[in-house]
Amino acid sequence: MSPVRPENDGPPSTLRHTVEAGPDRGGCAVGAGEGSQKETATEAGEPVSPSLRRNPDYRMFLVIQALSALGDSFSYVAIPLLVLHSTGSVVQMGAVTGLTGVASIVTGVFAGVIADRFDRKRLLMISDGARCLLYAVIPLVWLFATPIWLIYLIVPVVGVFAMLFQVTYVTVVPAIVGPDQIARANGHLFATFAVAGVAGPALAGFVAAAAGPAAAIGIDSVTFAVSAIGVLFVRIRTTPRVDTVSAGRGAVRREFLAGARFLRAHPVLRPLTVLLSVLTFLTYGMTDLVIYLLKHDLGHRDTTVGYVLAAGTVGAFIASAVVARVRARMGFGASWITAFALAGVAITCMGPARSVPVIAVLMTVNVMCTGVAGISSMSLRQEVTPGRLLGRVTSTFWTIHSALGPLGAAAATAAAAGFGVTAVFVVIGIAVLCIALAGTATGIAQSAPAERPLGDAA
């Protein structure tokens, strides 16, 4: 039941999704595209990675992620419905969601350490297996009683394993595909999450209506079981681990801080983390604002809201299809800055719009642009971070840039209630545009390959 991370480093913001341990790959180009990376590898005499279509481990991993995302999208709908059916209280619905969010944030602090210290394939299996067993308890107990305390107990624990899975999963992508294929693979995964974000809630709603929310949670449990078994058939290249057990006092503390030190020292990831933190604060409540615009200002029905949000998913598919080519042609800095600049323009125009088709198109453009920027951001982080540090860097990055999100959503919705949603859209859109342009004055705009002397920091 975890929301999609608006890193915008992952899939569309609807459900839990995050798309990333591979060996240290040496220096990696920040601005170079896929073609140049493949050419360099060939000139160096290294074998070129097989195409993604011919990579059985990647294909299996894609199926596993689809099942995991579909399962999460089921629980995203089924858990609130179960709480509502059992208590009739929207306050308790919010309390369960809030507990899950707190559990995810707390877990994010140490999930990277776990992902970097232990076998990542086993962690994926354990995370999916644990979620399978935890969710299976709910429909079994609901056959005899409806103890709401069980939801309060199980759902936050599920959030812990969900965050551990997400961080570990991000570190695994570079260990399955070649360094020249990371952006394209992330694009495919992004599209998979978009499909789950649309199909999952619809299927969950149908099952909940026909057999009850507990039955939908039972199906969720099955998807995690299949996903856990599927990981057995995926070969993941091993990554050297840093043995900190015998490293003396303070070793664990240094592990926690290693990700933050890497981000702070990297000339591109440092400003990227700062700018994304501000962007997350501004855009975290975007879906709420769109709903408020359509329902309050324009007086449309819930079905119209669904159509507009579904249109945003089209933008996710477009982003997944074009991101590899865009980044190869423009480089990371130009593609990231341009994407967020266009997103700012789309958000600015959304407020004054009074036509539903226009709002739907603008929503599509916004999701497409943030998708391109997010996939590029994640791919860059996977490329420039040594495999043994990728878990800690990922969890630190997510924790820092998402910390202000809930506060931003509260501020944006409160401002919409006080000053009108149109003005809030305009202010947020202009602010997003300015922040994107501010990236031109930072290391984000660099197009030269980034040296990686920081790879040994641990």
Side-chain angles (χ1 to χ4, degrees), residues 118-207:
F118 298 99
D119 182 86
R120 289 163 177 168
K121 183 173 182 176
R122 291 181 182 178
L123 285 176
L124 290 177
M125 294 178 64
I126 291 171
S127 299
D128 270 343
R131 287 186 286 178
C132 166
L133 294 175
L134 287 166
Y135 274 141
V137 170
I138 295 175
L140 290 176
V141 171
W142 246 250
L143 291 174
F144 308 100
T146 58
I148 193 64
W149 60 263
L150 187 66
I151 302 296
Y152 282 94
L153 177 64
I154 287 180
V155 173
V157 179
V158 169
V160 170
F161 285 103
M163 175 57 73
L164 180 60
F165 181 93
Q166 290 171 33
V167 172
T168 306
Y169 146 71
V170 172
T171 67
V172 162
V173 172
I176 296 176
V177 305
D180 58 312
Q181 299 170 329
I182 290 176
R184 185 179 291 113
N186 284 335
H188 293 168
L189 291 161
F190 189 93
T192 298
F193 294 141
V195 172
V198 174
L203 290 173
F206 175 78
V207 173

Coordinates of all heavy atoms in Angstrom, one line a residue, residues 118-207:
F118 N 24.1 -8.0 2.3 CA 23.6 -9.3 2.2 C 23.3 -9.7 0.8 O 23.2 -8.8 -0.1 CB 22.4 -9.5 3.1 CG 22.6 -9.3 4.6 CD1 22.3 -8.1 5.2 CD2 23.2 -10.3 5.3 CE1 22.6 -7.9 6.5 CE2 23.4 -10.1 6.7 CZ 23.1 -8.9 7.3
D119 N 23.1 -10.9 0.5 CA 22.8 -11.4 -0.8 C 21.5 -10.8 -1.3 O 20.5 -11.0 -0.7 CB 22.8 -13.0 -0.8 CG 22.5 -13.5 -2.2 OD1 23.5 -13.7 -3.0 OD2 21.3 -13.7 -2.6
R120 N 21.6 -10.1 -2.4 CA 20.4 -9.4 -2.9 C 19.3 -10.3 -3.4 O 18.1 -10.0 -3.3 CB 20.8 -8.3 -3.9 CG 21.6 -7.2 -3.2 CD 22.4 -6.4 -4.2 NE 23.0 -5.2 -3.5 CZ 24.0 -4.5 -4.0 NH1 24.4 -4.7 -5.3 NH2 24.5 -3.5 -3.3
K121 N 19.7 -11.4 -4.1 CA 18.7 -12.3 -4.6 C 17.9 -12.9 -3.4 O 16.6 -13.0 -3.5 CB 19.4 -13.4 -5.3 CG 18.5 -14.4 -6.0 CD 19.2 -15.4 -6.9 CE 18.3 -16.4 -7.6 NZ 19.0 -17.2 -8.5
R122 N 18.5 -13.3 -2.3 CA 17.8 -13.8 -1.2 C 16.9 -12.7 -0.5 O 15.8 -13.0 -0.1 CB 18.8 -14.3 -0.1 CG 19.5 -15.6 -0.6 CD 20.5 -16.1 0.5 NE 21.2 -17.2 0.0 CZ 22.1 -17.9 0.8 NH1 22.4 -17.4 2.0 NH2 22.8 -18.9 0.3
L123 N 17.4 -11.5 -0.5 CA 16.6 -10.4 0.0 C 15.3 -10.2 -0.7 O 14.3 -10.0 -0.2 CB 17.4 -9.1 0.1 CG 18.5 -9.0 1.1 CD1 19.3 -7.7 1.0 CD2 17.9 -9.1 2.5
L124 N 15.4 -10.3 -2.1 CA 14.2 -10.1 -2.9 C 13.2 -11.3 -2.6 O 12.0 -11.0 -2.4 CB 14.5 -10.2 -4.4 CG 15.3 -9.0 -4.9 CD1 15.6 -9.2 -6.4 CD2 14.5 -7.7 -4.8
M125 N 13.7 -12.5 -2.4 CA 12.9 -13.6 -2.1 C 12.3 -13.5 -0.7 O 11.1 -13.8 -0.5 CB 13.7 -14.9 -2.3 CG 14.1 -15.2 -3.7 SD 15.1 -16.7 -3.8 CE 13.9 -17.9 -3.3
I126 N 13.1 -13.1 0.2 CA 12.6 -12.9 1.6 C 11.5 -11.9 1.7 O 10.5 -12.0 2.3 CB 13.8 -12.6 2.6 CG1 14.7 -13.8 2.7 CG2 13.2 -12.2 3.9 CD1 16.0 -13.5 3.5
S127 N 11.7 -10.7 1.0 CA 10.8 -9.6 1.0 C 9.4 -10.0 0.4 O 8.4 -9.8 1.0 CB 11.3 -8.4 0.3 OG 12.5 -8.0 0.9
D128 N 9.5 -10.7 -0.7 CA 8.2 -11.2 -1.4 C 7.6 -12.3 -0.6 O 6.4 -12.3 -0.4 CB 8.5 -11.6 -2.8 CG 8.3 -10.5 -3.8 OD1 7.7 -9.5 -3.4 OD2 8.8 -10.6 -4.9
G129 N 8.4 -13.2 0.0 CA 7.9 -14.3 0.7 C 7.2 -13.8 2.0 O 6.1 -14.3 2.4
A130 N 7.8 -12.8 2.7 CA 7.3 -12.3 3.9 C 5.9 -11.6 3.6 O 5.0 -11.7 4.4 CB 8.3 -11.3 4.6
R131 N 5.9 -10.8 2.5 CA 4.6 -10.1 2.2 C 3.5 -11.1 1.9 O 2.4 -10.9 2.2 CB 4.9 -9.1 1.1 CG 5.6 -7.9 1.5 CD 5.7 -6.9 0.4 NE 6.7 -7.3 -0.6 CZ 6.9 -6.5 -1.7 NH1 6.3 -5.4 -1.9 NH2 7.8 -6.9 -2.6
C132 N 3.9 -12.2 1.2 CA 3.0 -13.3 0.9 C 2.3 -13.8 2.2 O 1.1 -13.9 2.3 CB 3.6 -14.4 0.1 SG 2.7 -15.9 0.0
L133 N 3.2 -14.2 3.1 CA 2.7 -14.8 4.4 C 1.9 -13.8 5.2 O 0.8 -14.2 5.8 CB 3.9 -15.3 5.2 CG 4.7 -16.5 4.6 CD1 5.9 -16.8 5.4 CD2 3.8 -17.7 4.4
L134 N 2.4 -12.6 5.3 CA 1.7 -11.6 6.1 C 0.3 -11.3 5.5 O -0.7 -11.2 6.3 CB 2.5 -10.3 6.1 CG 3.7 -10.4 7.0 CD1 4.6 -9.2 6.7 CD2 3.3 -10.4 8.5
Y135 N 0.2 -11.1 4.2 CA -1.1 -10.8 3.6 C -2.0 -12.0 3.6 O -3.3 -11.9 3.7 CB -0.9 -10.3 2.2 CG -0.7 -8.8 2.0 CD1 0.2 -8.3 1.1 CD2 -1.4 -7.9 2.8 CE1 0.5 -7.0 1.0 CE2 -1.2 -6.6 2.7 CZ -0.2 -6.1 1.8 OH 0.0 -4.7 1.7
A136 N -1.4 -13.2 3.6 CA -2.3 -14.4 3.6 C -3.0 -14.6 5.0 O -4.1 -15.2 5.0 CB -1.4 -15.7 3.4
V137 N -2.4 -14.0 6.0 CA -3.1 -14.1 7.3 C -4.4 -13.4 7.4 O -5.4 -13.9 8.0 CB -2.1 -13.5 8.4 CG1 -2.8 -13.4 9.7 CG2 -0.9 -14.4 8.6
I138 N -4.5 -12.3 6.7 CA -5.7 -11.4 6.8 C -7.0 -12.2 6.2 O -8.0 -12.3 7.0 CB -5.5 -10.1 6.0 CG1 -4.4 -9.3 6.7 CG2 -6.8 -9.3 6.0 CD1 -4.0 -8.0 6.0
P139 N -7.0 -12.7 5.0 CA -8.2 -13.4 4.6 C -8.5 -14.6 5.4 O -9.7 -15.0 5.6 CB -7.9 -13.7 3.1 CG -6.4 -13.7 3.0 CD -6.0 -12.6 3.9
L140 N -7.5 -15.3 5.9 CA -7.7 -16.5 6.7 C -8.4 -16.1 8.0 O -9.4 -16.7 8.4 CB -6.4 -17.2 7.0 CG -5.7 -17.9 5.8 CD1 -4.4 -18.5 6.2 CD2 -6.6 -19.0 5.3
V141 N -7.9 -15.1 8.7 CA -8.6 -14.6 9.9 C -9.9 -14.1 9.7 O -10.9 -14.3 10.4 CB -7.7 -13.6 10.6 CG1 -8.4 -12.9 11.8 CG2 -6.3 -14.2 11.1
W142 N -10.1 -13.4 8.5 CA -11.4 -12.7 8.2 C -12.5 -13.7 7.9 O -13.7 -13.4 7.9 CB -11.2 -11.8 7.1 CG -11.5 -10.3 7.5 CD1 -12.5 -9.5 7.1 CD2 -10.6 -9.5 8.3 NE1 -12.4 -8.3 7.7 CE2 -11.2 -8.3 8.4 CE3 -9.4 -9.8 9.0 CZ2 -10.7 -7.2 9.2 CZ3 -8.8 -8.7 9.7 CH2 -9.5 -7.5 9.8
L143 N -12.1 -15.0 7.8 CA -13.1 -16.1 7.6 C -13.9 -16.3 8.9 O -15.0 -16.7 8.9 CB -12.5 -17.4 7.2 CG -11.9 -17.4 5.8 CD1 -11.2 -18.7 5.6 CD2 -13.0 -17.3 4.7
F144 N -13.3 -15.9 10.1 CA -13.8 -16.2 11.4 C -14.1 -14.9 12.2 O -15.0 -14.9 13.0 CB -12.9 -17.1 12.2 CG -12.5 -18.3 11.4 CD1 -11.2 -18.4 10.8 CD2 -13.3 -19.4 11.3 CE1 -10.8 -19.5 10.1 CE2 -12.9 -20.6 10.6 CZ -11.6 -20.6 10.0
A145 N -13.4 -13.9 12.0 CA -13.6 -12.6 12.7 C -13.0 -11.5 12.0 O -12.4 -11.6 10.9 CB -12.9 -12.8 14.1
T146 N -13.2 -10.2 12.5 CA -12.7 -9.0 11.8 C -12.0 -8.2 12.8 O -12.4 -7.0 13.1 CB -13.9 -8.3 11.2 OG1 -14.8 -7.9 12.2 CG2 -14.6 -9.0 10.1
P147 N -10.9 -8.6 13.3 CA -10.1 -7.8 14.3 C -9.3 -6.7 13.6 O -8.3 -7.0 12.9 CB -9.1 -8.9 14.9 CG -8.9 -9.9 13.8 CD -10.2 -10.0 13.0
I148 N -9.7 -5.5 13.7 CA -9.1 -4.4 13.0 C -7.7 -4.2 13.5 O -6.8 -3.7 12.7 CB -9.9 -3.1 13.1 CG1 -9.4 -2.0 12.2 CG2 -9.9 -2.6 14.6 CD1 -9.6 -2.4 10.7
W149 N -7.4 -4.6 14.7 CA -6.0 -4.5 15.2 C -5.0 -5.2 14.4 O -3.8 -4.9 14.3 CB -5.9 -4.9 16.7 CG -6.3 -6.3 16.9 CD1 -7.5 -6.8 17.3 CD2 -5.4 -7.5 16.8 NE1 -7.5 -8.2 17.5 CE2 -6.2 -8.6 17.1 CE3 -4.1 -7.7 16.5 CZ2 -5.7 -9.9 17.1 CZ3 -3.6 -8.9 16.4 CH2 -4.4 -10.0 16.7
L150 N -5.5 -6.3 13.8 CA -4.6 -7.1 12.9 C -4.1 -6.3 11.7 O -2.9 -6.5 11.3 CB -5.3 -8.4 12.5 CG -4.5 -9.4 11.7 CD1 -3.4 -10.0 12.6 CD2 -5.4 -10.5 11.1
I151 N -4.9 -5.5 11.2 CA -4.5 -4.6 10.1 C -3.4 -3.6 10.5 O -2.4 -3.5 9.8 CB -5.7 -3.8 9.5 CG1 -6.8 -4.8 9.1 CG2 -5.3 -2.9 8.4 CD1 -6.4 -5.6 7.9
Y152 N -3.6 -3.0 11.7 CA -2.7 -2.1 12.2 C -1.3 -2.8 12.5 O -0.3 -2.2 12.5 CB -3.2 -1.5 13.5 CG -4.2 -0.4 13.3 CD1 -5.5 -0.6 13.3 CD2 -3.7 0.9 13.1 CE1 -6.4 0.4 13.2 CE2 -4.6 1.9 12.9 CZ -6.0 1.7 13.0 OH -6.9 2.7 12.8
L153 N -1.4 -4.1 12.8 CA -0.1 -4.8 13.1 C 0.6 -5.3 11.8 O 1.8 -5.1 11.6 CB -0.5 -6.1 13.9 CG 0.7 -7.0 14.2 CD1 1.7 -6.3 15.1 CD2 0.2 -8.3 14.9
I154 N -0.2 -5.8 10.8 CA 0.4 -6.4 9.6 C 0.8 -5.4 8.6 O 1.9 -5.5 8.1 CB -0.6 -7.4 9.0 CG1 -0.7 -8.7 9.9 CG2 -0.2 -7.8 7.6 CD1 -1.7 -9.7 9.4
V155 N 0.0 -4.4 8.3 CA 0.2 -3.5 7.2 C 1.6 -2.7 7.4 O 2.3 -2.6 6.4 CB -1.0 -2.6 7.0 CG1 -0.6 -1.5 5.9 CG2 -2.2 -3.4 6.5
P156 N 1.9 -2.2 8.5 CA 3.2 -1.5 8.7 C 4.4 -2.4 8.5 O 5.4 -2.0 7.9 CB 3.1 -0.9 10.1 CG 1.7 -0.8 10.4 CD 1.0 -1.9 9.7
V157 N 4.2 -3.7 8.9 CA 5.3 -4.6 8.8 C 5.5 -4.9 7.3 O 6.6 -5.1 6.8 CB 5.0 -5.9 9.6 CG1 6.1 -7.0 9.3 CG2 4.9 -5.6 11.0
V158 N 4.4 -5.0 6.6 CA 4.4 -5.2 5.1 C 5.2 -4.0 4.5 O 6.0 -4.2 3.6 CB 3.0 -5.3 4.5 CG1 3.1 -5.2 3.0 CG2 2.4 -6.7 4.9
G159 N 4.9 -2.8 5.0 CA 5.6 -1.6 4.5 C 7.1 -1.7 4.7 O 7.9 -1.3 3.8
V160 N 7.6 -2.4 5.7 CA 9.0 -2.6 6.0 C 9.6 -3.4 4.9 O 10.6 -3.1 4.3 CB 9.2 -3.2 7.4 CG1 10.7 -3.7 7.5 CG2 8.9 -2.2 8.5
F161 N 9.0 -4.6 4.6 CA 9.5 -5.5 3.6 C 9.3 -4.9 2.2 O 10.1 -5.2 1.3 CB 8.8 -6.8 3.7 CG 9.2 -7.7 4.8 CD1 8.4 -7.8 6.0 CD2 10.5 -8.3 4.8 CE1 8.9 -8.6 7.0 CE2 10.9 -9.1 5.9 CZ 10.1 -9.2 7.0
A162 N 8.3 -4.1 2.0 CA 8.1 -3.4 0.7 C 9.3 -2.5 0.4 O 9.8 -2.4 -0.7 CB 6.8 -2.7 0.6
M163 N 9.7 -1.7 1.4 CA 10.8 -0.8 1.2 C 12.1 -1.5 1.0 O 12.9 -1.2 0.1 CB 10.9 0.2 2.4 CG 12.1 1.1 2.4 SD 12.1 2.1 0.9 CE 10.8 3.3 1.2
L164 N 12.3 -2.6 1.8 CA 13.5 -3.4 1.6 C 13.5 -4.0 0.2 O 14.6 -4.0 -0.5 CB 13.5 -4.5 2.6 CG 14.7 -5.5 2.6 CD1 16.0 -4.7 2.8 CD2 14.6 -6.6 3.6
F165 N 12.4 -4.4 -0.3 CA 12.3 -4.9 -1.7 C 12.7 -3.9 -2.7 O 13.4 -4.1 -3.6 CB 10.9 -5.5 -2.0 CG 10.8 -6.1 -3.3 CD1 11.0 -7.4 -3.6 CD2 10.4 -5.3 -4.4 CE1 10.8 -8.0 -4.8 CE2 10.3 -5.8 -5.7 CZ 10.5 -7.2 -5.9
Q166 N 12.1 -2.7 -2.5 CA 12.3 -1.6 -3.5 C 13.7 -1.2 -3.6 O 14.3 -1.0 -4.7 CB 11.4 -0.4 -3.1 CG 9.9 -0.7 -3.3 CD 9.1 0.4 -2.7 OE1 9.5 1.6 -2.8 NE2 7.9 0.1 -2.2
V167 N 14.4 -1.0 -2.5 CA 15.8 -0.6 -2.5 C 16.6 -1.7 -3.1 O 17.5 -1.5 -4.0 CB 16.3 -0.3 -1.1 CG1 17.8 -0.1 -1.0 CG2 15.6 0.9 -0.5
T168 N 16.4 -3.0 -2.7 CA 17.2 -4.1 -3.3 C 17.0 -4.2 -4.8 O 17.9 -4.5 -5.5 CB 16.8 -5.4 -2.5 OG1 17.0 -5.2 -1.1 CG2 17.7 -6.5 -3.0
Y169 N 15.7 -4.1 -5.2 CA 15.4 -4.2 -6.6 C 16.1 -3.2 -7.4 O 16.6 -3.5 -8.5 CB 13.8 -4.1 -6.7 CG 13.4 -3.4 -7.9 CD1 13.4 -4.1 -9.2 CD2 12.8 -2.2 -7.9 CE1 13.0 -3.5 -10.3 CE2 12.4 -1.6 -9.0 CZ 12.5 -2.2 -10.3 OH 12.0 -1.6 -11.4
V170 N 16.2 -2.0 -7.0 CA 17.0 -1.0 -7.7 C 18.4 -1.4 -7.9 O 19.0 -1.1 -9.0 CB 16.9 0.4 -7.0 CG1 17.8 1.4 -7.6 CG2 15.4 0.9 -7.0
T171 N 19.0 -2.0 -6.9 CA 20.4 -2.4 -7.0 C 20.6 -3.6 -7.9 O 21.8 -3.8 -8.3 CB 21.0 -2.7 -5.6 OG1 20.3 -3.9 -5.1 CG2 20.7 -1.6 -4.6
V172 N 19.6 -4.3 -8.2 CA 19.7 -5.5 -9.0 C 19.7 -5.3 -10.5 O 20.3 -6.1 -11.2 CB 18.6 -6.5 -8.6 CG1 18.4 -7.6 -9.6 CG2 18.9 -7.1 -7.2
V173 N 19.1 -4.3 -10.9 CA 19.0 -4.0 -12.4 C 20.3 -4.0 -13.1 O 20.5 -4.7 -14.1 CB 18.2 -2.7 -12.7 CG1 18.2 -2.4 -14.2 CG2 16.7 -2.9 -12.2
P174 N 21.3 -3.2 -12.6 CA 22.6 -3.2 -13.3 C 23.4 -4.6 -13.2 O 24.3 -4.8 -13.9 CB 23.4 -2.2 -12.5 CG 22.4 -1.4 -11.8 CD 21.3 -2.3 -11.4
A175 N 22.9 -5.5 -12.3 CA 23.5 -6.8 -12.2 C 22.8 -7.8 -13.2 O 23.2 -9.0 -13.2 CB 23.4 -7.3 -10.8
I176 N 21.8 -7.4 -13.9 CA 21.1 -8.3 -14.8 C 21.3 -7.8 -16.3 O 21.4 -8.7 -17.2 CB 19.6 -8.3 -14.5 CG1 19.4 -8.9 -13.1 CG2 18.8 -9.1 -15.5 CD1 17.9 -8.9 -12.6
V177 N 21.4 -6.5 -16.5 CA 21.5 -6.0 -17.9 C 22.9 -5.4 -18.0 O 23.6 -5.1 -17.0 CB 20.4 -5.0 -18.2 CG1 19.1 -5.6 -18.0 CG2 20.6 -3.7 -17.4
G178 N 23.3 -5.1 -19.2 CA 24.6 -4.4 -19.5 C 24.5 -2.9 -19.1 O 23.4 -2.4 -19.1
P179 N 25.7 -2.3 -18.9 CA 25.7 -0.9 -18.6 C 25.1 0.0 -19.6 O 24.7 1.1 -19.3 CB 27.2 -0.6 -18.4 CG 27.9 -1.7 -19.1 CD 27.0 -2.9 -19.0
D180 N 25.1 -0.5 -20.9 CA 24.5 0.3 -22.0 C 23.0 0.1 -22.1 O 22.4 0.8 -22.9 CB 25.2 0.0 -23.3 CG 25.0 -1.5 -23.6 OD1 25.3 -2.3 -22.7 OD2 24.6 -1.9 -24.8
Q181 N 22.5 -0.7 -21.2 CA 21.0 -1.1 -21.4 C 20.2 -0.6 -20.2 O 19.0 -0.9 -20.1 CB 20.9 -2.6 -21.5 CG 21.6 -3.1 -22.8 CD 21.6 -4.7 -22.8 OE1 21.7 -5.3 -21.7 NE2 21.6 -5.3 -23.9
I182 N 20.8 0.0 -19.2 CA 20.1 0.4 -18.0 C 19.0 1.3 -18.2 O 17.9 1.1 -17.7 CB 21.1 1.0 -16.9 CG1 22.1 -0.1 -16.5 CG2 20.4 1.6 -15.8 CD1 23.2 0.5 -15.5
A183 N 19.2 2.4 -19.0 CA 18.1 3.3 -19.2 C 16.9 2.6 -19.9 O 15.7 2.9 -19.6 CB 18.6 4.5 -20.0
R184 N 17.2 1.8 -20.9 CA 16.1 1.1 -21.7 C 15.4 0.1 -20.7 O 14.2 0.0 -20.8 CB 16.7 0.4 -22.9 CG 15.6 -0.2 -23.8 CD 16.2 -1.0 -25.0 NE 16.7 0.0 -25.9 CZ 18.0 0.1 -26.2 NH1 18.9 -0.7 -25.6 NH2 18.5 1.0 -27.1
A185 N 16.1 -0.6 -19.9 CA 15.5 -1.6 -19.0 C 14.6 -0.8 -18.0 O 13.5 -1.3 -17.7 CB 16.6 -2.4 -18.3
N186 N 15.1 0.3 -17.5 CA 14.3 1.1 -16.5 C 13.0 1.6 -17.2 O 11.9 1.7 -16.6 CB 15.1 2.2 -16.0 CG 16.1 1.8 -14.9 OD1 15.9 0.8 -14.3 ND2 17.1 2.5 -14.7
G187 N 13.1 1.9 -18.5 CA 11.9 2.3 -19.3 C 10.9 1.2 -19.4 O 9.7 1.5 -19.2
H188 N 11.4 0.0 -19.6 CA 10.4 -1.1 -19.7 C 9.8 -1.3 -18.4 O 8.5 -1.6 -18.3 CB 11.2 -2.4 -20.1 CG 11.7 -2.4 -21.5 ND1 12.6 -3.3 -22.0 CD2 11.5 -1.5 -22.5 CE1 12.9 -3.0 -23.2 NE2 12.3 -2.0 -23.6
L189 N 10.5 -1.3 -17.3 CA 10.0 -1.5 -16.0 C 9.0 -0.4 -15.6 O 8.0 -0.6 -15.0 CB 11.1 -1.5 -14.9 CG 12.0 -2.8 -15.1 CD1 13.4 -2.6 -14.4 CD2 11.3 -4.0 -14.5
F190 N 9.3 0.8 -16.0 CA 8.4 2.0 -15.8 C 7.1 1.7 -16.4 O 6.0 1.9 -15.9 CB 9.1 3.2 -16.3 CG 8.4 4.5 -16.0 CD1 8.8 5.2 -14.9 CD2 7.4 5.0 -16.8 CE1 8.2 6.5 -14.5 CE2 6.8 6.2 -16.5 CZ 7.2 6.9 -15.3
A191 N 7.1 1.2 -17.7 CA 5.9 0.9 -18.4 C 5.1 -0.2 -17.7 O 3.9 -0.2 -17.6 CB 6.2 0.5 -19.8
T192 N 5.8 -1.2 -17.2 CA 5.2 -2.3 -16.5 C 4.4 -1.8 -15.2 O 3.3 -2.2 -15.0 CB 6.2 -3.3 -16.0 OG1 6.9 -3.9 -17.2 CG2 5.6 -4.5 -15.2
F193 N 5.1 -0.9 -14.5 CA 4.4 -0.3 -13.3 C 3.2 0.5 -13.7 O 2.2 0.5 -13.0 CB 5.4 0.6 -12.6 CG 6.6 -0.2 -12.0 CD1 7.8 0.3 -12.0 CD2 6.4 -1.5 -11.4 CE1 8.9 -0.4 -11.4 CE2 7.4 -2.2 -10.9 CZ 8.7 -1.6 -10.9
A194 N 3.3 1.2 -14.9 CA 2.1 2.0 -15.3 C 0.9 1.1 -15.6 O -0.2 1.4 -15.3 CB 2.5 2.8 -16.6
V195 N 1.2 -0.1 -16.2 CA 0.1 -1.0 -16.5 C -0.5 -1.5 -15.2 O -1.7 -1.6 -15.0 CB 0.7 -2.2 -17.3 CG1 -0.4 -3.3 -17.4 CG2 1.1 -1.8 -18.7
A196 N 0.4 -1.9 -14.2 CA -0.1 -2.3 -12.9 C -0.9 -1.2 -12.2 O -1.9 -1.5 -11.6 CB 1.1 -2.8 -12.1
G197 N -0.5 0.0 -12.4 CA -1.1 1.1 -11.8 C -2.5 1.4 -12.3 O -3.4 1.9 -11.6
V198 N -2.8 0.9 -13.5 CA -4.1 1.1 -14.1 C -4.9 -0.2 -13.9 O -6.1 -0.2 -13.4 CB -4.0 1.4 -15.6 CG1 -5.4 1.4 -16.2 CG2 -3.4 2.7 -15.8
A199 N -4.3 -1.4 -14.2 CA -5.1 -2.6 -14.2 C -5.3 -3.1 -12.7 O -6.4 -3.6 -12.4 CB -4.3 -3.7 -15.0
G200 N -4.3 -2.9 -11.9 CA -4.4 -3.4 -10.5 C -5.6 -2.9 -9.7 O -6.4 -3.7 -9.2
P201 N -5.7 -1.6 -9.6 CA -6.9 -1.1 -8.8 C -8.2 -1.5 -9.4 O -9.2 -1.7 -8.7 CB -6.7 0.4 -8.9 CG -5.2 0.6 -9.1 CD -4.8 -0.5 -10.0
A202 N -8.3 -1.5 -10.8 CA -9.6 -1.9 -11.4 C -9.9 -3.4 -11.1 O -11.0 -3.7 -10.7 CB -9.5 -1.7 -12.9
L203 N -8.9 -4.2 -11.2 CA -9.1 -5.7 -10.9 C -9.5 -5.8 -9.4 O -10.3 -6.6 -9.0 CB -7.9 -6.5 -11.2 CG -7.7 -6.6 -12.7 CD1 -6.3 -7.3 -13.0 CD2 -8.8 -7.4 -13.4
A204 N -8.7 -5.1 -8.5 CA -8.9 -5.2 -7.1 C -10.4 -4.7 -6.8 O -11.0 -5.3 -5.9 CB -7.9 -4.4 -6.3
G205 N -10.8 -3.6 -7.4 CA -12.2 -3.2 -7.1 C -13.2 -4.2 -7.6 O -14.2 -4.4 -6.8
F206 N -13.0 -4.9 -8.7 CA -13.9 -5.9 -9.2 C -14.0 -7.1 -8.2 O -15.0 -7.5 -7.8 CB -13.5 -6.4 -10.6 CG -14.3 -7.5 -11.1 CD1 -15.6 -7.2 -11.6 CD2 -13.8 -8.8 -11.0 CE1 -16.3 -8.3 -12.1 CE2 -14.6 -9.8 -11.5 CZ -15.8 -9.6 -12.1
V207 N -12.8 -7.5 -7.8 CA -12.7 -8.7 -6.9 C -13.3 -8.3 -5.5 O -14.1 -9.1 -4.9 CB -11.3 -9.1 -6.7 CG1 -11.2 -10.2 -5.6 CG2 -10.7 -9.7 -8.0

